[in-house]
Amino acid sequence: MSSQVLRAHRLAAVSLLALACAGAAHAQSGRADTDVDQIVITAARTNLPASALPLTVDVVDNEALSQQVAVSGSIVDAISTLSPSFSPTRQKLSGSGETLRGRSPLYAINGIPQSTPIRDGSRDGYTIDPFFIDRVELIYGSNALQGIGATGGVVNQVTVGPPKDDGVSGKVLVQSTLAGKLGDAVGGKVAGLVGWREQAFDATVGVAYDARGAFYDAHGRRIGMDNTQGDVQDSKTLSIFGRFGWQVSPSTRLDVVANRFELKGDGDYVTITGTAAAPTDGNRTTRLPSTAYRGVQPGTPASGRVETLSAALVNDDLYGGVLNAQVFFNRTRDTFGGDKNATFQDVSIAPSGTLFDQSSNRSRKLGARASYERAVPGIEGLTATAGLDALTDTTSQVLTATGRAWVPPTKFNSVAPFVQGNYALFDGKLRLAGGVRFENVELKVNDFTTLAFYGSRKVGGGNPDFKATLANGGVVFEPAKGVRVYGSYAEGYTVPDVGRILRAINVANVDVDTYLAVEPIVSNNRELGAELKRGPFDASVAYFWSSSKLGQLLVKNAGGIFDVQRQRVAIEGLEVNVKARTPIPGLEVSTGYARLRGETDTNADGKVDTDLDGANISPDRLNLAADYQTGKWALRVQAQKYISRNMQNALVKDDFEGYTVVDAFVRYALPVGAVSLGVQNLFDKQYLTYYSDTVLPTKDKIYAGRGRTATIGWEARF
């Protein structure tokens, strides 16, 4: 399989748990990447190869990931471009409304969750620089592999491994990004990574600095800034990475990984609509998007900071099995832009309409995971896994200018034991997989008072607890070499955006212990699929449908702010992927297609009746790509066609017009390193982003997509 494209290893879907933590990725790093069947998917938490798992998985290897990042600049955009059932990104810091198979994906780094589900800041796609990521593993569909959060799937970013040989090694990167206009559109990035190994000990440290300019659309207009939720344009990022390893014995390894990532907006632009200078900015009727002007943002520009520290111990020969143990600490601080909006007003502090404020989400996680996997004695072909996950997450949202609590400190405690089995029959031609996870969750909230905007309601605290037994099962049948069919059922589990729900309570006599709206979301994923790997062709097809009785929707209220509503949700979809090696040496072509439909129950009668809108499901998509490698050259051309959709029966009745964008990448090997050029939106197509086109945002948040943007870079390894 070519490493130039998304390595779509579509496998059957089930096995929800099983083992492995961060260290497992590198315990298996000696396997040949060219043999896809032997790749170990660390996000699946098992040491079994991918071919043994009933899981729908895609792997984006380092070369393919580097290509996509050179085109778009981020892992989120890279995954969105390659995966047909991933929604188009907003091209902003916020990932709210970005979905995988119509539901929220869980972003993880070495298996460590990056989300803040108690008060979802939707910035979990920007927590580490891509320079420090070796590959990305995607597991599709609702599952409980990593605990809470993966109702749409898992996006696991596996960091660079330890040095392979004794001595010093590393890599460096220098990049510059140019748009249709120079000047403030120019961006630059420098990054370096140095590794050292001496017998049993190794260390790898690196730093990446990225300064981004303003973004321009295909008409040469500066794209509007999202000063509140945060923007990627006009920002600077500093990411520091470290990995320290000790081969304690031939079978035991200890890895400590640290990451600090901070993205800060420069605050050089503001978005203004309806002024004398620009009376038509943000006009939906004429499809004119908002734009940004030089100016000073009030308060502190939006920013995000993430700090993660983990230690993983792997023993691959403990009483005939493999032990994985991991502990981790994760801390985030997401600051949002400020203003004088009605929500912040309190006449006891300042006259109405004059009070400026801005908020900051603050989350702190402490977790531990352990699992043990081995062949069951006396039962040939049966592999069993048992483990335990524990997590404590404390999150709050404070108003930084006045010191008020918008969301009170809320503690989430989870303890989840699990067992899993994988049974190979008839020399592995038939595999049965199944297991169960016992999720035990407790929320703790003290008494608090809502903001004056909500009536200064006194809310009684409490510690509601929830329990769920999450089952999974599936079968994989391989009637002939290279042919696979499968069916599966898997349940996922998460909590709603508790903070958003609690902060908006505007009625009296509410007690957290009995407040229905904070009950967890249990979703399921049923799937049927087939895979063919014969001769020059790799092809797969999967049909899935999922449902949740008490789902979570983002619905805009009269004030333009999204509230969380708990409604039944049902989603179904079809995914098709085909890749072919052509008679022309070095040339491969590929295509992918996804069709998704989703409905929700708006009248609480137990039946779904209204289509999901762009804030809750992605459009149908067709991907086309061609890769060519010869000598020192590597080239790729790719197109994504987002298909128009009639949304008159949707939550927001605004049709999606659809659009097509084409990207290109070329790389040439030099005597030292290689130079590359990535071009996003090669033909300079003008379009509104999917979110802007379907969610009916306010005038200052109707955003165009990026116009033609070129990134030239030089990378060398030593």
Side-chain angles (χ1 to χ4, degrees), residues 434-708:
V436 62
R437 181 184 180 98
F438 305 96
E439 195 72 54
N440 301 275
V441 169
E442 181 185 49
L443 291 173
K444 292 185 177 180
V445 185
N446 293 329
D447 296 348
F448 69 98
T449 302
T450 61
L451 297 182
F453 176 79
Y454 303 106
S456 299
R457 304 292 183 178
K458 294 186 180 300
V459 179
N463 56 334
D465 60 273
F466 310 100
K467 300 181 185 299
T469 300
L470 307 172
N472 70 91
V475 58
V476 182
F477 180 50
E478 188 175 356
K481 184 175 178 58
V483 180
R484 193 193 309 262
V485 293
Y486 60 87
S488 67
Y489 173 85
E491 293 179 331
Y493 184 83
T494 193
V495 293
D497 192 333
V498 174
R500 191 189 289 261
I501 294 169
L502 293 180
R503 77 184 190 187
I505 293 175
N506 58 4
V507 295
N509 303 317
V510 169
D511 188 290
V512 173
D513 273 324
T514 57
Y515 196 45
L516 175 66
V518 299
E519 288 187 1
I521 301 164
V522 177
S523 59
N524 59 64
N525 185 75
R526 303 172 184 88
E527 187 163 351
L528 298 172
E531 181 185 73
L532 172 68
K533 296 172 65 66
R534 284 286 186 92
F537 296 101
D538 292 346
S540 65
V541 59
Y543 172 71
F544 63 89
W545 62 104
S546 67
S547 61
S548 51
K549 294 181 180 179
L550 196 61
Q552 170 177 290
L553 293 178
L554 293 177
V555 180
K556 185 180 291 187
N557 61 28
I561 298 174
F562 279 94
D563 290 331
V564 172
Q565 293 189 10
R566 308 302 306 279
Q567 301 174 5
R568 176 185 288 270
V569 175
I571 297 171
E572 66 174 344
L574 175 70
E575 297 169 351
V576 180
N577 286 272
V578 180
K579 180 169 64 176
R581 291 169 287 280
T582 71
I584 301 174
L587 177 63
E588 291 185 348
V589 294
S590 59
T591 183
Y593 171 75
R595 179 187 187 277
L596 285 90
R597 294 293 182 270
E599 292 182 295
T600 185
D601 176 14
T602 58
N603 58 9
D605 65 353
K607 299 178 181 179
V608 293
D609 51 47
T610 302
D611 292 343
L612 297 179
D613 64 3
N616 295 284
I617 199 168
S618 58
D620 298 343
R621 162 119 65 106
L622 177 65
N623 281 359
L624 298 170
D627 288 273
Y628 181 65
Q629 290 191 27
T630 180
K632 298 180 179 181
W633 291 93
L635 302 95
R636 178 178 172 88
V637 178
Q638 60 189 25
Q640 305 93 50
K641 179 178 179 59
Y642 299 99
I643 301 171
S644 61
R645 178 177 293 182
N646 184 323
M647 306 187 79
Q648 293 307 303
N649 189 45
L651 295 166
V652 175
K653 304 181 187 301
D654 194 59
D655 293 344
F656 173 53
E657 290 197 354
Y659 59 88
T660 301
V661 291
V662 177
D663 308 319
F665 173 87
V666 59
R667 179 184 177 93
Y668 179 74
L670 300 172
V672 178
V675 63
S676 66
L677 173 66
V679 182
Q680 185 178 27
N681 196 355
L682 179 66
F683 298 122
D684 217 15
K685 171 68 175 179
Q686 177 72 7
Y687 64 95
L688 294 182
T689 63
Y690 176 65
Y691 189 87
S692 292
D693 202 14
T694 59
V695 181
L696 295 180
T698 55
K699 288 183 178 181
D700 62 342
K701 297 184 184 299
I702 302 174
Y703 301 122
R706 297 181 73 177
R708 184 187 297 117

Side-chain angles (χ1 to χ4, degrees), residues 323-445:
L323 172 70
N324 281 264
Q326 182 188 48
V327 295
F328 62 86
F329 169 80
N330 175 266
R331 180 171 62 187
T332 63
R333 175 169 292 193
D334 296 329
T335 299
F336 302 92
D339 54 28
K340 299 178 182 178
N341 72 61
T343 306
F344 298 155
Q345 301 308 302
D346 188 336
V347 294
S348 68
I349 301 176
S352 180
T354 66
L355 183 59
F356 173 90
D357 223 327
Q358 61 187 120
S359 71
S360 177
N361 281 359
R362 299 173 181 181
S363 177
R364 185 187 300 259
K365 300 187 191 73
L366 185 63
R369 307 190 300 173
S371 58
Y372 179 71
E373 179 180 66
R374 65 158 295 168
V376 177
I379 306 179
E380 184 178 356
L382 178 60
T383 300
T385 305
L388 178 70
D389 294 348
L391 175 68
T392 294
D393 181 348
T394 303
T395 301
S396 64
Q397 185 174 19
V398 300
L399 297 178
T400 58
T402 58
R404 293 174 290 171
W406 196 2
V407 175
T410 304
K411 179 175 286 190
F412 169 91
N413 294 319
S414 170
V415 177
F418 64 84
V419 292
Q420 190 72 25
N422 190 294
Y423 196 13
L425 300 169
F426 309 113
D427 295 325
K429 293 184 180 298
L430 178 67
R431 281 189 177 268
L432 305 177
V436 62
R437 181 184 180 98
F438 305 96
E439 195 72 54
N440 301 275
V441 169
E442 181 185 49
L443 291 173
K444 292 185 177 180
V445 185

